[in-house]
Amino acid sequence: MKVLRLVLLGSVLWILLYSCASGDNQARVLTDTPKKGAITISVDESFRPIVDALIQVYESNNDSTKIHAQYKPEAECMADLFNDSIRMVIATIKLSEKQLQSVVDSLHVVVKQLPVARDAVAVIVNPSSSDTLLTMGEIRSVLTGNYIKPLIPVFDGLSATSTVRFLLDSVLKGQKITSKAMGASTSDSVIQFVANNPNAIGFIGVSWIGNQDDAQQLSFLKKVKIVQLESSDKPGKYVLPVQANIYTKRYPMTRDLVYIVKEGHRGLGTGFAEFMAGEIGQLIFKRAYLMPGRRNFIIRPAQTKE
């Protein structure tokens, strides 16, 4: 009987060990890696052009990967932090330690965040407009409806977007946006509306119109004009949202682009995050005329001969 019990006990242990091993093997088969698998990420709609470019290059370099990007208003992206099916959020908000811990406690995963680039809110007007040099005081007047001309502010949505949040928090600082303001469904819709309406003034992420090597963005620049804003360090001097001015924050409306990745293992989200912060990803940001956030740059004075 003692021998029989030992045999039965050994059999049970063998079955349990086999089951655990089979489960582990199955888990490994279903688990993605930085070089293989598919994930869904949530992205602030303002950054569709640059994130599309990043995904295209990453998938080209890792042909066994598929990154499904859902583009939506920033508030919806942040709500997706608590959605198990969303592995990464790309937006302009950096979470506080308390907010990070809330996500960790809710989902029981490792959460990492990092600013990877600096963006700017560009101001665009109709080609017929003479309002191409504006101070931040005048921008506030436009947004509150008190400008000397009846300009209509147009955004990529009237609420929940990163552009609207930036203007409310960093520009208006408690003042209310005029009731005449209009919201379009997407950033390219803002461009089209401004192109067709002489009294419209649009606010969009610079990645939609900053890349002069992009055929679509060049076509946009034929339809609208980019407004120069008064420099934050030299009153009376007006600057465009180009890389040097974004880097120094001389252009007064800049913001960071941040990734938040939440994974319980080293998966595809982690791989894509490291790619964005790495050399190739940073070069893609540079080529898109955003300011790479993970590389140091030296700005040297230069002169041109007329």
Side-chain angles (χ1 to χ4, degrees), residues 158-213:
L158 278 177
S159 63
T161 72
S162 61
T163 302
V164 173
R165 182 184 63 81
F166 177 86
L167 294 173
L168 285 171
D169 294 349
S170 301
V171 179
L172 291 181
K173 298 179 180 179
Q175 292 179 281
K176 291 185 178 180
I177 290 179
T178 174
S179 60
K180 296 180 180 179
M182 300 184 66
S185 57
T186 61
S187 296
D188 51 348
S189 298
V190 175
I191 296 170
Q192 296 298 339
F193 187 87
V194 172
N196 295 327
N197 294 273
N199 289 329
I201 180 168
F203 296 83
I204 58 174
V206 74
S207 65
W208 280 91
I209 53 171
N211 188 351
Q212 298 188 21
D213 296 323

Tab-separated table of all heavy atoms in Angstrom, residues 158-213:
chain	number	residue	atom	x	y	z
A	158	LEU	N	-14.038	70.726	-29.840
A	158	LEU	CA	-14.224	71.804	-28.868
A	158	LEU	C	-13.921	71.376	-27.440
A	158	LEU	O	-13.914	72.186	-26.529
A	158	LEU	CB	-15.662	72.343	-28.947
A	158	LEU	CG	-15.894	73.370	-30.060
A	158	LEU	CD1	-17.355	73.775	-30.107
A	158	LEU	CD2	-15.025	74.602	-29.853
A	159	SER	N	-13.705	70.085	-27.226
A	159	SER	CA	-13.364	69.607	-25.892
A	159	SER	C	-12.590	68.308	-26.016
A	159	SER	O	-12.598	67.666	-27.054
A	159	SER	CB	-14.628	69.375	-25.052
A	159	SER	OG	-15.426	68.368	-25.640
A	160	ALA	N	-11.883	67.968	-24.948
A	160	ALA	CA	-11.216	66.665	-24.819
A	160	ALA	C	-9.973	66.497	-25.686
A	160	ALA	O	-9.350	65.448	-25.655
A	160	ALA	CB	-12.187	65.522	-25.124
A	161	THR	N	-9.582	67.497	-26.468
A	161	THR	CA	-8.387	67.354	-27.291
A	161	THR	C	-7.192	68.007	-26.600
A	161	THR	O	-7.343	68.912	-25.778
A	161	THR	CB	-8.571	67.990	-28.685
A	161	THR	OG1	-8.567	69.423	-28.554
A	161	THR	CG2	-9.889	67.552	-29.310
A	162	SER	N	-6.001	67.578	-26.964
A	162	SER	CA	-4.799	68.140	-26.349
A	162	SER	C	-4.627	69.608	-26.712
A	162	SER	O	-4.131	70.403	-25.906
A	162	SER	CB	-3.573	67.346	-26.797
A	162	SER	OG	-3.410	67.417	-28.203
A	163	THR	N	-5.027	69.984	-27.927
A	163	THR	CA	-4.888	71.381	-28.355
A	163	THR	C	-5.789	72.286	-27.523
A	163	THR	O	-5.351	73.336	-27.027
A	163	THR	CB	-5.236	71.518	-29.845
A	163	THR	OG1	-4.372	70.674	-30.606
A	163	THR	CG2	-5.067	72.954	-30.312
A	164	VAL	N	-7.050	71.884	-27.352
A	164	VAL	CA	-7.978	72.689	-26.548
A	164	VAL	C	-7.502	72.745	-25.098
A	164	VAL	O	-7.517	73.814	-24.464
A	164	VAL	CB	-9.401	72.115	-26.637
A	164	VAL	CG1	-10.328	72.848	-25.677
A	164	VAL	CG2	-9.934	72.225	-28.060
A	165	ARG	N	-7.060	71.615	-24.546
A	165	ARG	CA	-6.575	71.613	-23.161
A	165	ARG	C	-5.379	72.537	-23.001
A	165	ARG	O	-5.276	73.291	-22.020
A	165	ARG	CB	-6.190	70.187	-22.739
A	165	ARG	CG	-5.722	70.094	-21.279
A	165	ARG	CD	-5.268	68.681	-20.936
A	165	ARG	NE	-4.124	68.274	-21.720
A	165	ARG	CZ	-2.860	68.612	-21.436
A	165	ARG	NH1	-2.600	69.396	-20.396
A	165	ARG	NH2	-1.870	68.182	-22.187
A	166	PHE	N	-4.443	72.501	-23.972
A	166	PHE	CA	-3.268	73.366	-23.897
A	166	PHE	C	-3.675	74.838	-23.909
A	166	PHE	O	-3.167	75.649	-23.121
A	166	PHE	CB	-2.327	73.079	-25.072
A	166	PHE	CG	-1.125	73.988	-25.116
A	166	PHE	CD1	0.021	73.683	-24.403
A	166	PHE	CD2	-1.143	75.169	-25.854
A	166	PHE	CE1	1.124	74.531	-24.425
A	166	PHE	CE2	-0.046	76.015	-25.887
A	166	PHE	CZ	1.084	75.694	-25.166
A	167	LEU	N	-4.594	75.191	-24.807
A	167	LEU	CA	-5.016	76.591	-24.906
A	167	LEU	C	-5.736	77.041	-23.633
A	167	LEU	O	-5.537	78.166	-23.166
A	167	LEU	CB	-5.915	76.779	-26.126
A	167	LEU	CG	-5.220	76.555	-27.481
A	167	LEU	CD1	-6.233	76.584	-28.615
A	167	LEU	CD2	-4.136	77.595	-27.723
A	168	LEU	N	-6.554	76.161	-23.064
A	168	LEU	CA	-7.266	76.509	-21.831
A	168	LEU	C	-6.303	76.642	-20.651
A	168	LEU	O	-6.368	77.611	-19.886
A	168	LEU	CB	-8.319	75.446	-21.520
A	168	LEU	CG	-9.590	75.471	-22.367
A	168	LEU	CD1	-10.434	74.222	-22.090
A	168	LEU	CD2	-10.416	76.726	-22.099
A	169	ASP	N	-5.389	75.670	-20.515
A	169	ASP	CA	-4.510	75.631	-19.345
A	169	ASP	C	-3.331	76.593	-19.445
A	169	ASP	O	-2.993	77.266	-18.468
A	169	ASP	CB	-3.978	74.213	-19.130
A	169	ASP	CG	-5.070	73.227	-18.770
A	169	ASP	OD1	-6.197	73.672	-18.489
A	169	ASP	OD2	-4.801	72.007	-18.787
A	170	SER	N	-2.699	76.636	-20.614
A	170	SER	CA	-1.433	77.362	-20.739
A	170	SER	C	-1.570	78.747	-21.358
A	170	SER	O	-0.663	79.573	-21.214
A	170	SER	CB	-0.446	76.535	-21.574
A	170	SER	OG	-0.210	75.279	-20.978
A	171	VAL	N	-2.661	79.003	-22.063
A	171	VAL	CA	-2.827	80.316	-22.715
A	171	VAL	C	-3.910	81.136	-22.023
A	171	VAL	O	-3.658	82.253	-21.564
A	171	VAL	CB	-3.156	80.148	-24.214
A	171	VAL	CG1	-3.347	81.517	-24.882
A	171	VAL	CG2	-2.051	79.377	-24.926
A	172	LEU	N	-5.109	80.602	-21.917
A	172	LEU	CA	-6.212	81.359	-21.327
A	172	LEU	C	-6.141	81.383	-19.794
A	172	LEU	O	-6.562	82.353	-19.167
A	172	LEU	CB	-7.544	80.783	-21.784
A	172	LEU	CG	-7.860	80.985	-23.264
A	172	LEU	CD1	-9.218	80.401	-23.615
A	172	LEU	CD2	-7.817	82.467	-23.630
A	173	LYS	N	-5.671	80.319	-19.181
A	173	LYS	CA	-5.473	80.249	-17.729
A	173	LYS	C	-6.719	80.694	-16.960
A	173	LYS	O	-6.658	81.574	-16.093
A	173	LYS	CB	-4.260	81.088	-17.326
A	173	LYS	CG	-2.964	80.599	-17.951
A	173	LYS	CD	-1.780	81.450	-17.560
A	173	LYS	CE	-0.506	80.925	-18.197
A	173	LYS	NZ	0.680	81.752	-17.845
A	174	GLY	N	-7.826	80.079	-17.281
A	174	GLY	CA	-9.051	80.362	-16.540
A	174	GLY	C	-10.081	81.164	-17.321
A	174	GLY	O	-11.270	81.138	-16.984
A	175	GLN	N	-9.645	81.885	-18.349
A	175	GLN	CA	-10.604	82.610	-19.168
A	175	GLN	C	-11.375	81.625	-20.060
A	175	GLN	O	-10.896	80.548	-20.386
A	175	GLN	CB	-9.878	83.635	-20.042
A	175	GLN	CG	-9.248	84.787	-19.261
A	175	GLN	CD	-8.533	85.759	-20.194
A	175	GLN	OE1	-7.415	85.496	-20.641
A	175	GLN	NE2	-9.194	86.867	-20.492
A	176	LYS	N	-12.565	82.028	-20.475
A	176	LYS	CA	-13.403	81.156	-21.279
A	176	LYS	C	-13.193	81.390	-22.771
A	176	LYS	O	-13.000	82.525	-23.211
A	176	LYS	CB	-14.876	81.381	-20.936
A	176	LYS	CG	-15.255	80.903	-19.550
A	176	LYS	CD	-16.753	81.054	-19.325
A	176	LYS	CE	-17.155	80.524	-17.950
A	176	LYS	NZ	-18.613	80.662	-17.715
A	177	ILE	N	-13.226	80.304	-23.531
A	177	ILE	CA	-13.159	80.408	-24.987
A	177	ILE	C	-14.467	80.991	-25.507
A	177	ILE	O	-15.554	80.682	-24.998
A	177	ILE	CB	-12.900	79.022	-25.613
A	177	ILE	CG1	-11.472	78.556	-25.305
A	177	ILE	CG2	-13.101	79.046	-27.129
A	177	ILE	CD1	-11.132	77.189	-25.849
A	178	THR	N	-14.377	81.834	-26.510
A	178	THR	CA	-15.555	82.452	-27.103
A	178	THR	C	-16.562	81.404	-27.583
A	178	THR	O	-16.176	80.329	-28.055
A	178	THR	CB	-15.162	83.347	-28.289
A	178	THR	OG1	-16.355	83.833	-28.938
A	178	THR	CG2	-14.319	82.614	-29.301
A	179	SER	N	-17.837	81.742	-27.470
A	179	SER	CA	-18.898	80.840	-27.931
A	179	SER	C	-18.906	80.707	-29.452
A	179	SER	O	-19.559	79.814	-29.997
A	179	SER	CB	-20.261	81.350	-27.449
A	179	SER	OG	-20.514	82.657	-27.953
A	180	LYS	N	-18.180	81.587	-30.141
A	180	LYS	CA	-18.108	81.532	-31.604
A	180	LYS	C	-17.084	80.512	-32.099
A	180	LYS	O	-17.012	80.228	-33.297
A	180	LYS	CB	-17.765	82.908	-32.169
A	180	LYS	CG	-18.832	83.969	-31.899
A	180	LYS	CD	-18.430	85.312	-32.491
A	180	LYS	CE	-19.491	86.375	-32.214
A	180	LYS	NZ	-19.102	87.694	-32.766
A	181	ALA	N	-16.281	79.964	-31.176
A	181	ALA	CA	-15.268	78.980	-31.572
A	181	ALA	C	-15.935	77.759	-32.176
A	181	ALA	O	-17.049	77.382	-31.807
A	181	ALA	CB	-14.431	78.583	-30.362
A	182	MET	N	-15.213	77.138	-33.111
A	182	MET	CA	-15.751	75.977	-33.815
A	182	MET	C	-14.810	74.787	-33.667
A	182	MET	O	-13.594	74.955	-33.516
A	182	MET	CB	-15.955	76.305	-35.296
A	182	MET	CG	-16.925	77.446	-35.542
A	182	MET	SD	-17.214	77.716	-37.299
A	182	MET	CE	-18.058	76.190	-37.730
A	183	GLY	N	-15.373	73.593	-33.714
A	183	GLY	CA	-14.577	72.381	-33.637
A	183	GLY	C	-14.728	71.549	-34.890
A	183	GLY	O	-15.836	71.373	-35.398
A	184	ALA	N	-13.617	71.067	-35.405
A	184	ALA	CA	-13.629	70.152	-36.556
A	184	ALA	C	-13.299	68.756	-36.045
A	184	ALA	O	-12.750	68.586	-34.954
A	184	ALA	CB	-12.624	70.595	-37.613
A	185	SER	N	-13.624	67.749	-36.830
A	185	SER	CA	-13.436	66.371	-36.371
A	185	SER	C	-11.967	65.960	-36.331
A	185	SER	O	-11.568	65.138	-35.508
A	185	SER	CB	-14.223	65.412	-37.267
A	185	SER	OG	-13.824	65.549	-38.621
A	186	THR	N	-11.148	66.520	-37.205
A	186	THR	CA	-9.731	66.156	-37.280
A	186	THR	C	-8.894	67.389	-37.598
A	186	THR	O	-9.425	68.443	-37.976
A	186	THR	CB	-9.475	65.108	-38.381
A	186	THR	OG1	-9.869	65.662	-39.648
A	186	THR	CG2	-10.249	63.818	-38.116
A	187	SER	N	-7.579	67.253	-37.466
A	187	SER	CA	-6.693	68.384	-37.750
A	187	SER	C	-6.719	68.784	-39.222
A	187	SER	O	-6.670	69.975	-39.553
A	187	SER	CB	-5.259	68.040	-37.326
A	187	SER	OG	-5.189	67.851	-35.925
A	188	ASP	N	-6.777	67.788	-40.128
A	188	ASP	CA	-6.828	68.160	-41.536
A	188	ASP	C	-8.152	68.836	-41.884
A	188	ASP	O	-8.206	69.664	-42.807
A	188	ASP	CB	-6.560	66.949	-42.447
A	188	ASP	CG	-7.417	65.754	-42.123
A	188	ASP	OD1	-8.064	65.746	-41.065
A	188	ASP	OD2	-7.434	64.807	-42.938
A	189	SER	N	-9.203	68.554	-41.106
A	189	SER	CA	-10.465	69.263	-41.307
A	189	SER	C	-10.341	70.731	-40.890
A	189	SER	O	-10.964	71.607	-41.486
A	189	SER	CB	-11.590	68.595	-40.503
A	189	SER	OG	-11.803	67.270	-40.932
A	190	VAL	N	-9.538	70.982	-39.863
A	190	VAL	CA	-9.265	72.365	-39.457
A	190	VAL	C	-8.589	73.113	-40.612
A	190	VAL	O	-8.953	74.246	-40.946
A	190	VAL	CB	-8.369	72.412	-38.203
A	190	VAL	CG1	-7.987	73.853	-37.872
A	190	VAL	CG2	-9.075	71.768	-37.019
A	191	ILE	N	-7.603	72.471	-41.216
A	191	ILE	CA	-6.878	73.092	-42.335
A	191	ILE	C	-7.833	73.413	-43.478
A	191	ILE	O	-7.801	74.522	-44.043
A	191	ILE	CB	-5.741	72.170	-42.815
A	191	ILE	CG1	-4.708	71.989	-41.700
A	191	ILE	CG2	-5.081	72.716	-44.077
A	191	ILE	CD1	-3.670	70.918	-41.984
A	192	GLN	N	-8.694	72.483	-43.826
A	192	GLN	CA	-9.631	72.692	-44.931
A	192	GLN	C	-10.604	73.829	-44.619
A	192	GLN	O	-10.922	74.643	-45.487
A	192	GLN	CB	-10.403	71.398	-45.221
A	192	GLN	CG	-9.545	70.239	-45.716
A	192	GLN	CD	-8.848	70.535	-47.036
A	192	GLN	OE1	-9.248	71.408	-47.798
A	192	GLN	NE2	-7.781	69.803	-47.302
A	193	PHE	N	-11.075	73.883	-43.370
A	193	PHE	CA	-12.019	74.929	-42.991
A	193	PHE	C	-11.367	76.304	-43.087
A	193	PHE	O	-11.958	77.255	-43.609
A	193	PHE	CB	-12.542	74.696	-41.574
A	193	PHE	CG	-13.640	75.651	-41.175
A	193	PHE	CD1	-14.958	75.362	-41.467
A	193	PHE	CD2	-13.341	76.833	-40.513
A	193	PHE	CE1	-15.977	76.250	-41.111
A	193	PHE	CE2	-14.341	77.727	-40.154
A	193	PHE	CZ	-15.671	77.430	-40.457
A	194	VAL	N	-10.147	76.429	-42.565
A	194	VAL	CA	-9.436	77.710	-42.623
A	194	VAL	C	-9.169	78.100	-44.073
A	194	VAL	O	-9.278	79.270	-44.450
A	194	VAL	CB	-8.122	77.638	-41.821
A	194	VAL	CG1	-7.278	78.892	-42.040
A	194	VAL	CG2	-8.418	77.448	-40.339
A	195	ALA	N	-8.827	77.114	-44.893
A	195	ALA	CA	-8.556	77.389	-46.305
A	195	ALA	C	-9.783	77.939	-47.023
A	195	ALA	O	-9.652	78.728	-47.969
A	195	ALA	CB	-8.083	76.115	-47.004
A	196	ASN	N	-10.962	77.573	-46.573
A	196	ASN	CA	-12.200	77.977	-47.240
A	196	ASN	C	-12.900	79.164	-46.587
A	196	ASN	O	-13.911	79.645	-47.111
A	196	ASN	CB	-13.175	76.794	-47.290
A	196	ASN	CG	-12.653	75.651	-48.142
A	196	ASN	OD1	-11.955	75.865	-49.125
A	196	ASN	ND2	-12.980	74.426	-47.754
A	197	ASN	N	-12.375	79.631	-45.437
A	197	ASN	CA	-13.052	80.710	-44.711
A	197	ASN	C	-12.058	81.803	-44.312
A	197	ASN	O	-11.245	81.600	-43.409
A	197	ASN	CB	-13.740	80.149	-43.464
A	197	ASN	CG	-14.873	79.204	-43.802
A	197	ASN	OD1	-16.008	79.624	-43.998
A	197	ASN	ND2	-14.569	77.908	-43.890
A	198	PRO	N	-12.128	82.970	-44.947
A	198	PRO	CA	-11.163	84.057	-44.685
A	198	PRO	C	-11.136	84.535	-43.234
A	198	PRO	O	-10.110	85.039	-42.777
A	198	PRO	CB	-11.637	85.170	-45.622
A	198	PRO	CG	-12.367	84.466	-46.712
A	198	PRO	CD	-13.030	83.304	-46.047
A	199	ASN	N	-12.243	84.394	-42.497
A	199	ASN	CA	-12.290	84.877	-41.123
A	199	ASN	C	-11.938	83.806	-40.093
A	199	ASN	O	-12.068	84.044	-38.889
A	199	ASN	CB	-13.683	85.437	-40.803
A	199	ASN	CG	-13.947	86.753	-41.520
A	199	ASN	OD1	-13.029	87.533	-41.764
A	199	ASN	ND2	-15.194	86.991	-41.886
A	200	ALA	N	-11.508	82.650	-40.540
A	200	ALA	CA	-11.173	81.569	-39.611
A	200	ALA	C	-9.698	81.615	-39.232
A	200	ALA	O	-8.841	82.045	-40.016
A	200	ALA	CB	-11.502	80.219	-40.239
A	201	ILE	N	-9.389	81.183	-38.015
A	201	ILE	CA	-8.012	81.047	-37.547
A	201	ILE	C	-7.905	79.699	-36.842
A	201	ILE	O	-8.664	79.415	-35.914
A	201	ILE	CB	-7.600	82.223	-36.634
A	201	ILE	CG1	-6.151	82.064	-36.151
A	201	ILE	CG2	-8.551	82.398	-35.453
A	201	ILE	CD1	-5.592	83.325	-35.485
A	202	GLY	N	-7.013	78.845	-37.313
A	202	GLY	CA	-6.950	77.473	-36.835
A	202	GLY	C	-5.796	77.212	-35.886
A	202	GLY	O	-4.748	77.878	-35.962
A	203	PHE	N	-5.974	76.229	-35.001
A	203	PHE	CA	-4.949	75.827	-34.039
A	203	PHE	C	-4.758	74.316	-34.158
A	203	PHE	O	-5.672	73.545	-33.874
A	203	PHE	CB	-5.381	76.201	-32.611
A	203	PHE	CG	-5.517	77.679	-32.388
A	203	PHE	CD1	-6.688	78.336	-32.756
A	203	PHE	CD2	-4.489	78.415	-31.832
A	203	PHE	CE1	-6.829	79.704	-32.560
A	203	PHE	CE2	-4.618	79.791	-31.633
A	203	PHE	CZ	-5.794	80.440	-32.003
A	204	ILE	N	-3.549	73.899	-34.580
A	204	ILE	CA	-3.269	72.487	-34.822
A	204	ILE	C	-1.841	72.153	-34.398
A	204	ILE	O	-1.008	73.047	-34.216
A	204	ILE	CB	-3.455	72.105	-36.311
A	204	ILE	CG1	-2.535	72.963	-37.189
A	204	ILE	CG2	-4.901	72.242	-36.749
A	204	ILE	CD1	-2.540	72.558	-38.639
A	205	GLY	N	-1.555	70.868	-34.262
A	205	GLY	CA	-0.188	70.441	-33.990
A	205	GLY	C	0.696	70.689	-35.193
A	205	GLY	O	0.291	70.490	-36.338
A	206	VAL	N	1.927	71.137	-34.946
A	206	VAL	CA	2.822	71.512	-36.041
A	206	VAL	C	3.190	70.320	-36.924
A	206	VAL	O	3.585	70.494	-38.084
A	206	VAL	CB	4.085	72.202	-35.497
A	206	VAL	CG1	5.029	71.194	-34.846
A	206	VAL	CG2	4.811	72.985	-36.598
A	207	SER	N	3.046	69.096	-36.412
A	207	SER	CA	3.404	67.928	-37.221
A	207	SER	C	2.485	67.773	-38.430
A	207	SER	O	2.793	67.001	-39.333
A	207	SER	CB	3.361	66.654	-36.367
A	207	SER	OG	2.052	66.367	-35.932
A	208	TRP	N	1.363	68.505	-38.467
A	208	TRP	CA	0.459	68.444	-39.623
A	208	TRP	C	0.914	69.330	-40.768
A	208	TRP	O	0.521	69.121	-41.912
A	208	TRP	CB	-0.957	68.847	-39.209
A	208	TRP	CG	-1.705	67.751	-38.544
A	208	TRP	CD1	-1.760	67.495	-37.198
A	208	TRP	CD2	-2.470	66.728	-39.168
A	208	TRP	NE1	-2.522	66.380	-36.961
A	208	TRP	CE2	-2.975	65.892	-38.150
A	208	TRP	CE3	-2.799	66.442	-40.499
A	208	TRP	CZ2	-3.776	64.789	-38.423
A	208	TRP	CZ3	-3.598	65.345	-40.762
A	208	TRP	CH2	-4.077	64.529	-39.737
A	209	ILE	N	1.738	70.334	-40.470
A	209	ILE	CA	2.128	71.275	-41.536
A	209	ILE	C	3.606	71.644	-41.498
A	209	ILE	O	4.067	72.435	-42.321
A	209	ILE	CB	1.306	72.581	-41.458
A	209	ILE	CG1	1.394	73.179	-40.052
A	209	ILE	CG2	-0.141	72.351	-41.855
A	209	ILE	CD1	0.806	74.563	-39.956
A	210	GLY	N	4.371	71.053	-40.585
A	210	GLY	CA	5.767	71.464	-40.433
A	210	GLY	C	6.744	70.769	-41.352
A	210	GLY	O	7.848	71.257	-41.585
A	211	ASN	N	6.360	69.610	-41.882
A	211	ASN	CA	7.292	68.810	-42.678
A	211	ASN	C	7.208	69.201	-44.148
A	211	ASN	O	6.318	68.781	-44.877
A	211	ASN	CB	6.981	67.319	-42.513
A	211	ASN	CG	8.023	66.443	-43.163
A	211	ASN	OD1	8.912	66.924	-43.880
A	211	ASN	ND2	7.937	65.151	-42.938
A	212	GLN	N	8.166	69.985	-44.593
A	212	GLN	CA	8.152	70.460	-45.975
A	212	GLN	C	8.680	69.426	-46.963
A	212	GLN	O	8.766	69.697	-48.158
A	212	GLN	CB	8.939	71.764	-46.079
A	212	GLN	CG	8.336	72.878	-45.231
A	212	GLN	CD	8.977	74.225	-45.470
A	212	GLN	OE1	9.602	74.456	-46.500
A	212	GLN	NE2	8.830	75.134	-44.522
A	213	ASP	N	9.040	68.244	-46.455
A	213	ASP	CA	9.415	67.144	-47.337
A	213	ASP	C	8.235	66.211	-47.603
A	213	ASP	O	8.356	65.245	-48.350
A	213	ASP	CB	10.570	66.332	-46.718
A	213	ASP	CG	11.836	67.156	-46.589
A	213	ASP	OD1	12.097	67.970	-47.492
A	213	ASP	OD2	12.556	66.986	-45.587
